[in-house]
Amino acid sequence: MKEEILNYNFLIKVFEDRDAMGKAAAQEAAKAIKNLLKEKEEINCIFAAAPSQNEFLKYLIEEEIDWARVNAFHMDEYIGLPKGDKRLFANFLKEHIFDKVPFKKLYLINDCGNSQEEIISNYVKLLEERVVDFTFMGIGENGHIAFNDPHVAFFNDEKVIKVVDLDNKCRMQQVNDGCFATLEEVPKYALTLTIPALMKAKEVFCMVPGPTKAEAVKNTVLGPLGEACPATIMRKHNKANLYLDKESARDIL
């Protein structure tokens, strides 16, 4: 580990590279999960789907966790892609974790109904009936968390999940990440958990590697607190952990 910084209410940890970052985040998340399972019969986790999470998920599934007592949600999903499309976030998470460990229950957004209205209603009910213990997420190049881009991000959003239009910087990130070949292929709309829904978790683990995230990290840590950089909401959370590599942290050290 290169450096550890206390900022506001959350702990920032910087590592030499993204592999070290992902391994440390996974180990600490696993420890938190196992500790909570000593107190509760089952727990609920929300997962992000993005290449920035690859190392974290790779190491997390290697941890000895009683997954049969863990329920999993995912935080956002594209609108308009066919069910079998590998670029759907549900399919990304199936490949990287959901099909690799035996969760008690998987709650996938598109499996909750046949229409947007039904999906939203059922997903809201699932989340409101359960206490969210952990949110595992990243930060977008525009500072978004989940698909709460700045123009649709509200710290006091009354909704739990909603339909949003994606800004061009967000959509271009999907091309930069290699998820889509061209901007035209990236869906323009998505379903996303809102900021309050993500921040209701008792603890947040946020993994943000790579040079393309350096500006967003700087804005998150040092910029004005507000919806222009949605990730700044972590500064108001009681227990948030930000994991960086030296490339993403270059502007805050």
Side-chain angles (χ1 to χ4, degrees):
M1 188 167 64
K2 184 177 181 182
E3 190 165 341
E4 196 169 287
I5 310 165
L6 274 172
N7 185 75
Y8 302 92
N9 293 325
F10 69 103
L11 185 62
I12 303 169
K13 299 184 179 183
V14 182
F15 298 85
E16 187 64 24
D17 55 43
R18 60 188 297 156
D19 190 73
M21 178 212 71
K23 186 173 185 178
Q27 290 173 340
E28 294 183 15
K31 182 179 180 180
I33 290 171
K34 288 186 278 190
N35 285 340
L36 192 57
L37 284 172
K38 295 175 184 177
E39 304 172 14
K40 298 179 63 175
E41 181 58 32
E42 65 180 70
I43 65 172
N44 301 288
C45 303
I46 299 173
F47 288 88
S52 64
Q53 307 300 295
N54 285 351
E55 292 79 14
F56 168 69
L57 296 175
K58 178 182 76 171
Y59 287 111
L60 187 64
I61 63 175
E62 295 178 358
E63 293 288 331
E64 293 185 5
I65 295 170
D66 188 357
W67 293 106
R69 296 166 57 200
V70 180
N71 300 313
F73 294 81
H74 70 128
M75 62 181 59
D76 47 8
E77 189 57 275
Y78 291 117
I79 292 173
L81 294 180
K83 190 171 184 179
D85 197 309
K86 66 179 183 180
R87 297 169 296 189
L88 283 169
F89 286 161
N91 292 335
F92 175 97
L93 285 168
K94 286 179 181 179
E95 179 184 349
H96 287 83
I97 186 169
F98 288 174
D99 286 349
K100 292 184 178 293
V101 295
F103 285 100
K104 179 173 184 178
K105 193 77 175 178
L106 294 175
Y107 297 107
L108 304 179
I109 291 173
N110 284 347
D111 287 352
C112 283
N114 296 314
S115 66
Q116 285 181 15
E117 293 77 11
E118 188 179 9
I119 288 170
I120 289 171
S121 176
N122 289 335
Y123 218 63
V124 167
K125 185 177 180 181
L126 286 170
L127 285 164
E128 289 185 340
E129 288 176 346
R130 291 158 179 81
V131 174
V132 176
D133 298 292
F134 299 103
T135 293
F136 303 117
M137 67 179 198
I139 298 173
E141 292 178 16
N142 63 359
H144 74 206
I145 54 176
F147 268 143
N148 295 283
D149 290 337
H151 72 291
V152 292
F154 304 105
F155 286 178
N156 297 314
D157 207 317
E158 295 181 355
K159 297 180 179 179
V160 175
I161 182 172
K162 64 183 181 181
V163 176
V164 293
D165 63 300
L166 307 178
D167 72 22
N168 281 341
K169 188 169 183 178
C170 169
R171 293 175 65 230
M172 196 63 211
Q173 178 186 323
Q174 313 310 314
V175 179
N176 296 339
D177 284 347
C179 301
F180 294 84
T182 65
L183 181 63
E184 290 69 31
E185 293 180 21
V186 183
K188 295 181 178 179
Y189 298 93
L191 284 161
T192 186
L193 294 187
T194 60
I195 290 174
L198 297 171
M199 292 296 110
K200 278 183 72 175
K202 294 177 181 177
E203 188 166 5
V204 174
F205 289 81
C206 185
M207 287 61 69
V208 192
T212 61
K213 302 294 181 68
E215 181 181 3
V217 166
K218 180 180 179 180
N219 291 337
T220 297
V221 175
L222 302 176
L225 177 66
E227 292 146 349
C229 180
T232 58
I233 191 65
M234 284 194 296
R235 285 158 35 182
K236 299 182 71 175
H237 196 280
N238 290 329
K239 200 171 186 181
N241 310 279
L242 180 59
Y243 297 85
L244 309 171
D245 65 3
K246 64 180 183 180
E247 293 183 322
S248 62
R250 68 188 182 196
D251 294 336
I252 66 169
L253 295 177

